[in-house]
Amino acid sequence: MDRVTGSMEVLSSMQLTKDMAGLDAQSRALLHNREVLAVILGEVVAEYRGYSRKEIMDFIEAGPVTDGKEVSSGRTNTRVSGDCAEYVQLNEKTSHFDLVFRAKNPVLSREGMLVSLHMNLESQKTYRPGYPIEKRGMYYLARSLSSQLSLVTDETDYSGLEKCYSIWICRDDIPRGARNSVAVYEVTNTKDTGSCGAAKEFYDLMTLVIIKLGQRVYNGNREDVDYELLRFLNTIMYPHEKDFLDKVSEYIDFSSNEELWKEAGEVSGLGECVYRDGLEDGLEQGLEKGIRAMIEDNMEEAVPEARILEKLQKHFKLTDAEAEQYYRRFALEE
């Protein structure tokens, strides 16, 4: 099974999106996580076909994934960054990307030469905000592409332009016939008289992906096109169902991350949310790892038994008897 190991950050983000009351802010927080991005990119980015989700996670730039990047207004040859306030005076509304990051293009990269893909990911509550989402997506792509060049001069080298993706996840207000669908728009060669067309990499510079959800419950079949993508997004983009963590764990594995469970025992409140929202539905093994880690660490520090029992009750919401049982079980193994 192609799964990536889940981190504390992604688990915390998923807890924030439990109710999805404020879709924009909470879904952006969730989409910041490379584990989540790896699942999405693996399903929609042509350059990543055949790569595992772990490999795709490694492709994403080492620097922080950032949101709120300004789509430079007025002039298309400025960098996409958050410090372009000087263009606000041109009486053009300032737009912002939700999520902007770079990732390795494994098709074009060579030893000693890194070629990047410029990624823009947008989460939209509505597919029909009063204008075509597709036009806005193409506008963002044009800004992203042109921002790669400084001021155009006679010496400008266009060969350095790198491919841009704009991926839109639209949750609600989807026409019935378009629900649970994925549309991809890209630059193609539609006529080639004389068979003298250029290599695809010379013009394949912009791809727009529009993902339309629209139903809280996804009832697709495993053999359906885009099944994995739509099932994953329906799971994380709507209020959590009882089997939420069971489904997510098919893509992101939390049970094998011993460091996560060690941290879970030390962070107030997280043990509670993990326990209540999913461990009792199939991740008991992970709970036990967290409890074991806390007991072992405290014993190494010579913390009194009574204090360890108090910590277990507080962080994992255990009864006196449950805490005592776990303590006897794991302390005796030392």
Side-chain angles (χ1 to χ4, degrees):
M1 185 178 294
D2 184 13
R3 297 192 294 176
V4 294
T5 300
S7 65
M8 175 69 72
E9 289 77 15
V10 72
L11 188 59
S12 298
S13 297
M14 287 180 175
Q15 177 63 15
L16 288 175
T17 61
K18 178 182 177 183
D19 300 318
M20 295 302 283
L23 177 75
D24 291 339
Q26 286 145 326
S27 62
R28 277 199 296 269
L30 181 58
L31 295 174
H32 269 71
N33 295 285
R34 286 176 174 76
E35 299 96 320
V36 174
L37 292 173
V39 176
I40 298 172
L41 299 183
E43 299 296 327
V44 301
V45 175
E47 288 80 0
Y48 291 163
R49 288 175 188 151
Y51 289 93
S52 70
R53 289 168 184 153
K54 174 60 171 65
E55 290 174 312
I56 295 170
M57 271 187 68
D58 292 339
F59 289 155
I60 299 173
E61 63 181 357
V65 178
T66 57
D67 63 356
K69 288 287 189 179
E70 184 174 318
V71 183
S72 307
S73 59
R75 292 170 60 177
T76 60
N77 54 11
T78 56
R79 284 193 172 276
V80 179
S81 63
D83 58 357
C84 297
E86 61 266 28
Y87 297 111
V88 175
Q89 64 186 358
L90 300 179
N91 296 320
E92 182 175 336
K93 180 181 179 295
T94 301
S95 300
H96 292 82
F97 291 124
D98 274 0
L99 225 65
V100 173
F101 59 97
R102 295 185 190 184
K104 177 181 177 180
N105 184 337
V107 175
L108 299 181
S109 294
R110 301 288 184 269
E111 185 175 353
M113 181 185 73
L114 173 65
V115 178
S116 296
L117 295 169
H118 296 247
M119 302 288 188
N120 160 226
L121 191 63
E122 301 286 328
S123 59
Q124 288 285 119
K125 180 172 175 54
T126 176
Y127 173 64
R128 295 186 274 195
Y131 54 81
I133 286 289
E134 291 78 6
K135 286 192 174 184
R136 184 177 173 186
M138 293 305 298
Y139 171 80
Y140 277 25
L141 280 169
R143 293 296 196 195
S144 182
L145 183 64
S146 61
S147 69
Q148 296 177 38
L149 298 175
S150 58
L151 293 176
V152 176
T153 68
D154 290 340
E155 287 75 37
T156 296
D157 183 4
Y158 293 96
S159 64
L161 289 172
E162 297 175 320
K163 185 173 181 178
C164 304
Y165 271 87
S166 188
I167 303 167
W168 295 68
I169 303 170
C170 304
R171 198 185 81 158
D172 300 325
D173 302 321
I174 313 294
R176 184 173 297 276
R179 292 173 185 170
N180 293 316
S181 65
V182 181
V184 179
Y185 307 90
E186 55 189 5
V187 179
T188 61
N189 180 356
T190 60
K191 185 175 181 179
D192 190 9
T193 301
S195 299
C196 57
K200 185 177 180 180
E201 67 185 76
F202 294 166
Y203 59 84
D204 181 27
L205 293 175
M206 297 191 298
T207 295
L208 173 64
V209 180
I210 306 292
I211 303 167
K212 309 181 192 77
L213 301 178
Q215 292 176 300
R216 176 168 175 166
V217 178
Y218 175 59
N219 293 316
N221 299 310
R222 192 167 294 277
E223 63 271 16
D224 293 344
V225 177
D226 297 314
Y227 169 84
E228 295 292 351
L229 174 66
L230 294 171
R231 183 170 184 266
F232 179 70
L233 289 177
N234 269 269
T235 299
I236 67 173
M237 295 295 286
Y238 290 94
H240 297 182
E241 301 293 335
K242 290 183 179 180
D243 60 352
F244 171 77
L245 272 181
D246 286 339
K247 287 184 178 179
V248 169
S249 294
E250 295 178 23
Y251 304 87
I252 303 172
D253 180 19
F254 296 106
S255 65
S256 62
N257 189 340
E258 294 190 18
E259 287 301 311
L260 182 149
W261 301 115
K262 180 178 178 180
E263 292 180 57
E266 298 170 351
V267 178
S268 176
L270 183 60
E272 175 186 2
C273 79
V274 173
Y275 182 85
R276 290 185 174 179
D277 291 338
L279 291 178
E280 47 191 4
D281 291 328
L283 293 179
E284 290 83 0
Q285 182 180 2
L287 175 65
E288 290 188 357
K289 287 182 178 180
I291 293 174
R292 179 198 291 268
M294 171 177 275
I295 292 173
E296 291 175 350
D297 287 352
N298 280 267
M299 288 182 66
E300 288 179 3
E301 296 172 9
V303 176
E305 176 183 335
R307 178 58 180 148
I308 295 176
L309 294 175
E310 289 177 5
K311 288 185 176 182
L312 292 174
Q313 293 175 52
K314 175 181 178 182
H315 292 299
F316 294 99
K317 298 301 177 184
L318 303 177
T319 65
D320 291 348
E322 289 170 337
E324 178 82 10
Q325 183 179 10
Y326 276 118
Y327 180 85
R328 297 299 171 210
R329 175 181 169 188
F330 295 126
L332 290 175
E333 292 179 2
E334 289 299 299

